[in-house]
Amino acid sequence: LSQRLPLRSSGDELARLVDTFNSMLGRLEESFRKIKQFSGDASHELRTPLTILKGETEVALRWAKTPEEFRKMLISGMEEIDRMSRIIDDLLLLAKSEGGQKPLTIKEMSLSDLLQELYLQGRSLAQPKSIELVLHPNVTEEIRILADKMRLRQVFLNLIANAINYTPDGGQVEISLSVDGEQDEVIVKVSDTGIGIPAEHLPHIFDRFYRVDRARNREDGGTGLGLAIVDSFVKAHGGRVEVFSVPEKGTTFTVFLPRKGPQTPPATP
Ligand code: ADP
């Protein structure tokens, strides 16, 4: 063998092979680390409401005497159960689409109609906080794309709900839509005049369960999965999400989507 393959070149081949293996191992290790981290985080997030529920039930069993006291415990127990349900619903949504159980249903759809529908829904979230929800005039122009309507509904609903949630009373949230003709991309922006996101948190906000202020968001009912869903669904469409934020001033999320839907790899002959 050494006669047919010069030693030097054989060394090069080997070095390349070792290199490839090492980088594959590195990627595998990183994937395992992410899975471990994710299941740890998921267990922790579900464990917290369960611990609260158990503690409150114990207290009620030991100390509550009147129906009113039992009622109080049941109401707060319901809140923890709702929280767990929300986390599980969001996790299932992510798992089903990423595990390929629910592939995208790509059809021609009107993005402008979808945003107008969401604007009407969003108003009922904005009204109690006296937030002005604005639909930029460019959304009235009909824009059709190839996409999974249900998934895009979830994407923009999450962004609009976040914008309202993280904007103090009396603020403003705007939805706009434009087309980049050259790139054949559509661009949806959801911007708010809210609390903003400090720069050091920006690289992490799309991670599952990541929240800038964990304590505050528990009260708000957030699961920390909303932006992970946004990112996953947009990437599945072959698009991308960008965020620009100034603390105390506001945040803009920009979603870029290819008009022709995800570009499937060419079929093998
Ligand atoms: P959550 O359920 O906590 O809202 P998300 O994944 O939707 O989780 O968002 C992750 C974190 O990013 C939020 O907890 C919040 O700290 C921050 N965030 C998201 N959207 C906004 C926004 N429009 N303004 C300010 N902060 C935001």
Side-chain angles (χ1 to χ4, degrees):
L1 191 74
S2 60
Q3 264 182 344
R4 281 151 95 198
L5 214 67
L7 203 62
R8 195 175 58 83
S9 113
S10 134
D12 281 356
E13 293 276 300
L14 214 62
R16 265 209 295 276
L17 212 63
V18 168
D19 248 18
T20 313
F21 270 125
N22 280 345
S23 85
M24 265 167 63
L25 266 178
R27 283 206 300 269
L28 263 176
E29 267 169 14
E30 178 61 12
S31 301
F32 279 129
R33 196 193 58 74
K34 277 192 175 155
I35 292 170
K36 256 168 95 178
Q37 162 105 37
F38 172 63
S39 41
D41 287 349
S43 317
H44 174 81
E45 293 295 324
L46 288 168
R47 186 110 201 111
T48 310
L50 207 57
T51 308
I52 295 174
L53 188 59
K54 185 162 187 277
E56 285 183 339
T57 311
E58 275 169 2
V59 168
L61 285 175
R62 201 171 289 182
W63 305 107
K65 299 212 165 49
T66 64
E68 194 46 40
E69 284 167 341
F70 278 108
R71 214 181 117 74
K72 259 196 197 150
M73 180 264 141
L74 286 178
I75 290 172
S76 106
M78 274 298 276
E79 281 168 16
E80 297 307 320
I81 292 171
D82 283 346
R83 185 172 175 76
M84 280 191 278
S85 304
R86 273 199 304 275
I87 295 174
I88 291 169
D89 286 348
D90 280 355
L91 281 177
L92 281 176
L93 210 62
L94 269 173
K96 273 190 197 151
S97 78
E98 289 183 355
Q101 282 151 283
K102 264 196 147 198
L104 297 185
T105 310
I106 301 292
K107 286 197 183 128
E108 195 183 317
M109 57 160 284
S110 165
L111 188 55
S112 32
D113 283 358
L114 176 67
L115 293 177
Q116 283 172 37
E117 259 172 56
L118 288 169
Y119 162 72
L120 295 178
Q121 273 185 27
R123 278 205 308 197
S124 58
L125 293 175
Q127 252 158 13
K129 292 185 75 182
S130 306
I131 286 174
E132 191 192 359
L133 187 61
V134 182
L135 197 63
H136 192 280
N138 62 13
V139 185
T140 45
E141 189 198 327
E142 167 95 336
I143 290 179
R144 303 189 73 77
I145 62 166
L146 285 172
D148 183 320
K149 190 172 169 185
M150 295 303 281
R151 296 235 164 102
L152 287 194
R153 171 188 294 280
Q154 187 79 53
V155 164
F156 297 122
L157 193 63
N158 286 5
L159 292 179
I160 296 166
N162 274 353
I164 295 171
N165 205 9
Y166 298 108
T167 295
D169 292 10
Q172 198 194 63
V173 171
E174 188 181 58
I175 307 166
S176 82
L177 168 63
S178 56
V179 179
D180 183 337
E182 250 175 52
Q183 299 288 333
D184 216 10
E185 272 184 335
V186 286
I187 302 163
V188 179
K189 278 185 203 270
V190 178
S191 38
D192 63 57
T193 58
I195 58 171
I197 303 167
E200 67 269 27
H201 292 280
L202 284 177
H204 308 291
I205 54 167
F206 293 100
D207 294 351
R208 291 163 190 206
F209 298 118
Y210 192 86
R211 281 172 247 156
V212 173
D213 180 346
R214 297 181 81 88
R216 185 195 64 209
N217 294 342
R218 247 197 89 73
E219 278 168 26
D220 291 353
T223 62
L225 291 168
L227 287 180
I229 292 172
V230 166
D231 190 51
S232 161
F233 286 7
V234 169
K235 278 188 182 147
H237 279 85
R240 67 188 193 282
V241 190
E242 284 175 8
V243 54
F244 174 77
S245 189
V246 181
E248 317 286 332
K249 288 259 183 283
T251 306
T252 299
F253 281 91
T254 310
V255 176
F256 300 83
L257 291 166
R259 281 190 93 162
K260 296 194 186 94
Q263 298 305 300
T264 42
T268 40

